[in-house]
Amino acid sequence: MKFLRLSDVPIKYKRVFIRADLNVPQNDAGVIMDDTRIRASIPAIKYALDQGAAVMVTSHLGRPVEGEFQPEDSLSPVALRLADLLGRKVPLISHWVENGVDVKPGEIVLLENCRINPGEKKNDDLLAQRMAKMCDVYVNDAFGTAHRAEATTHGIAKYATVACAGPLMAAELDALSKALHSPQKPLVAIVAGSKVSTKLTILKTLANKVDQLIVGGGIANTFLLAKGFPIGKSLAEPDLVDEAREIMQIMESRGAEVPIPVDVIVANEFSAQARANKVMVDQVQDDDMILDIGPRTAAKLAMIISNAGTIVWNGPVGVFEIEQFGGGTKMLAAAIAHSPAFTIGGGGDTLAAISKYDISNQIDYISTGGGAFLEFLEGRTLPAVEILTQRAN
């Protein structure tokens, strides 16, 4: 994948517009609860400042109504946190499209929530052109929004004199391309979650690429149903059994496999007080709920992982938030952590599992992309990435 990187572009004394992803969770008092995304944006900003650029940074925050500014939509708490991390003032500029921005080389300003601007979400051409005139170099460092064609993620990149990827965006694309386009074999994908329907396209895309497709959670229950196993009152989608069979057939026709659980952990209720019982997969009773894979299955999957060349992980294989149903995810997390394979993990629940089992330092790349990560796995073209590749040509 060919695209221009920030490090490829001379930016001294240039006006540099960085689209970052600073959409951080806050409590009702406006206190930032997790500043991971702000910290992830720092390398691009520091690089531009160190190179002597005049730096403008913007991001969306929440879901504001275009043209109707509300105090809770403001990037003000983000500006304060950025100032702390950079050790310098970070002025927050409102009405920046209408009034323009005065920023000198070596200085930084934060441009107020870009989604307040009318036309942002619809990728309005006129808005994009006005923003492009504000800068000499446009930098997209917000992979988490790459699946959306908006004025600050796509439109401005069409019209800016130079359009390039920031270090965070470039790292995401490098890691995902390595995992999916030129993987070290065997390529193993772990796709888990509550519903097949939300990840059906991903499963079908991966079925044509991977050597082993490990499924977990409610998705695995649907595959068990497709194999004729009883699942009691477990979460599943009976109307997608045919799709599950089709995915298994695609894999089998390629000499690949969807390893089905041989034992599972069940309970009569979904709660932290529920008693966990280990049963063979053909012994699930009518009032049982499957809430995790069993130890035999976990050991079998850990062996597959230990022999992998590349691992893509999206989703825990059980209800790992409840201790007695976390054994499968914990064992797989340990296997991934100790695997010599190139490993990449992404998705909210996956990040939570990586954090819980304290293995972040043992995963080669952790994607914070969310929806963009999933759409990349689906094989979709991400608009913000596509425009960068077009501009590189």
Side-chain angles (χ1 to χ4, degrees):
M1 186 180 296
K2 184 185 176 186
F3 53 88
L4 202 59
R5 299 166 190 261
L6 175 58
S7 56
D8 299 330
V9 183
I11 58 172
K12 189 172 184 178
Y13 304 138
K14 298 287 181 68
R15 298 169 301 157
V16 173
F17 184 113
I18 300 175
R19 173 51 159 104
D21 183 0
L22 308 173
N23 185 30
V24 291
Q26 301 177 69
N27 64 17
D28 292 340
V31 176
I32 294 169
M33 306 304 291
D34 180 358
D35 68 353
T36 301
R37 286 176 174 163
I38 300 176
R39 289 179 178 277
S41 73
I42 293 296
I45 296 169
K46 284 198 73 172
Y47 177 83
L49 288 170
D50 290 346
Q51 293 292 310
V55 182
M56 298 166 272
V57 182
T58 194
S59 172
H60 70 290
L61 181 70
R63 297 183 177 181
V65 176
E66 288 186 1
E68 298 181 20
F69 177 78
Q70 300 295 330
E72 61 268 23
D73 299 327
S74 177
L75 287 174
S76 179
V78 174
L80 292 173
R81 190 72 190 105
L82 267 177
D84 285 343
L85 293 168
L86 292 169
R88 62 193 298 160
K89 287 184 179 179
V90 180
L92 179 65
I93 310 297
S94 301
H95 308 294
W96 48 276
V97 175
E98 304 96 306
N99 300 335
V101 179
D102 181 22
V103 56
K104 295 178 174 61
E107 293 182 350
I108 176 177
V109 295
L110 182 63
L111 309 179
E112 187 60 277
N113 195 333
C114 60
R115 283 196 185 155
I116 293 168
N117 297 321
E120 167 67 16
K121 291 195 75 173
K122 289 185 178 178
N123 197 19
D124 180 75
D125 230 34
L126 185 59
L127 174 63
Q129 290 176 45
R130 290 182 71 180
M131 291 190 297
K133 288 177 181 175
M134 294 170 57
C135 66
D136 303 304
V137 177
Y138 165 74
V139 182
N140 192 333
D141 207 33
F143 179 77
T145 65
H147 57 312
R148 303 186 189 282
E150 298 180 348
T152 57
T153 64
H154 183 270
I156 186 174
K158 284 196 297 184
Y159 299 109
T161 306
V162 176
C164 61
L168 184 63
M169 170 74 86
E172 289 269 1
L173 295 176
D174 288 345
L176 286 166
S177 297
K178 181 178 178 180
L180 293 175
H181 298 158
S182 55
Q184 185 77 30
K185 296 283 193 172
L187 170 57
V188 176
I190 303 163
V191 180
S194 56
K195 294 183 177 181
V196 173
S197 53
T198 59
K199 295 185 178 177
L200 183 60
T201 312
I202 295 171
L203 291 165
K204 284 186 174 178
T205 300
L206 292 176
N208 287 293
K209 289 184 177 181
V210 303
D211 301 295
Q212 302 272 1
L213 180 57
I214 295 171
V215 292
I219 293 173
N221 296 337
T222 303
F223 277 76
L224 285 171
L225 207 55
K227 280 284 193 179
F229 289 109
I231 63 166
K233 55 182 183 180
S234 306
L235 179 66
E237 293 175 284
D239 56 325
L240 291 178
V241 160
D242 288 342
E243 279 81 355
R245 289 196 185 109
E246 181 189 347
I247 288 164
M248 287 187 281
Q249 286 165 3
I250 292 170
M251 293 288 286
E252 286 167 11
S253 69
R254 297 175 47 244
E257 184 191 5
V258 180
I260 298 299
V262 293
D263 60 343
V264 290
I265 305 297
V266 300
N268 297 132
E269 61 176 349
F270 185 91
S271 79
Q273 288 72 45
R275 179 181 173 183
N277 296 305
K278 178 185 70 177
V279 299
M280 299 309 289
V281 76
D282 59 354
Q283 299 298 311
V284 176
Q285 302 301 305
D286 290 346
D287 62 344
D288 282 336
M289 299 172 69
I290 300 171
L291 299 176
D292 194 12
I293 57 174
R296 290 190 187 184
T297 301
K300 175 185 174 185
L301 299 181
M303 184 63 68
I304 290 171
I305 288 166
S306 69
N307 291 317
T310 304
I311 300 165
V312 178
W313 181 19
N314 176 238
V317 292
V319 187
F320 76 101
E321 299 90 345
I322 300 175
E323 209 57 42
Q324 61 268 40
F325 307 119
T329 301
K330 185 177 183 179
M331 184 176 277
L332 259 65
I336 292 166
H338 293 111
S339 170
F342 176 75
T343 54
I344 181 167
D349 289 338
T350 312
L351 301 187
I354 288 170
S355 175
K356 179 173 181 176
Y357 301 120
D358 195 22
I359 59 167
S360 59
N361 292 335
Q362 293 158 284
I363 305 292
D364 289 298
Y365 194 80
I366 298 172
S367 172
T368 56
F373 174 78
L374 294 178
E375 291 201 14
F376 197 103
L377 292 188
E378 286 179 29
R380 291 197 200 182
T381 299
L382 306 183
V385 176
E386 183 182 32
I387 189 64
L388 290 181
T389 58
Q390 286 176 8
R391 290 301 309 274
N393 296 323

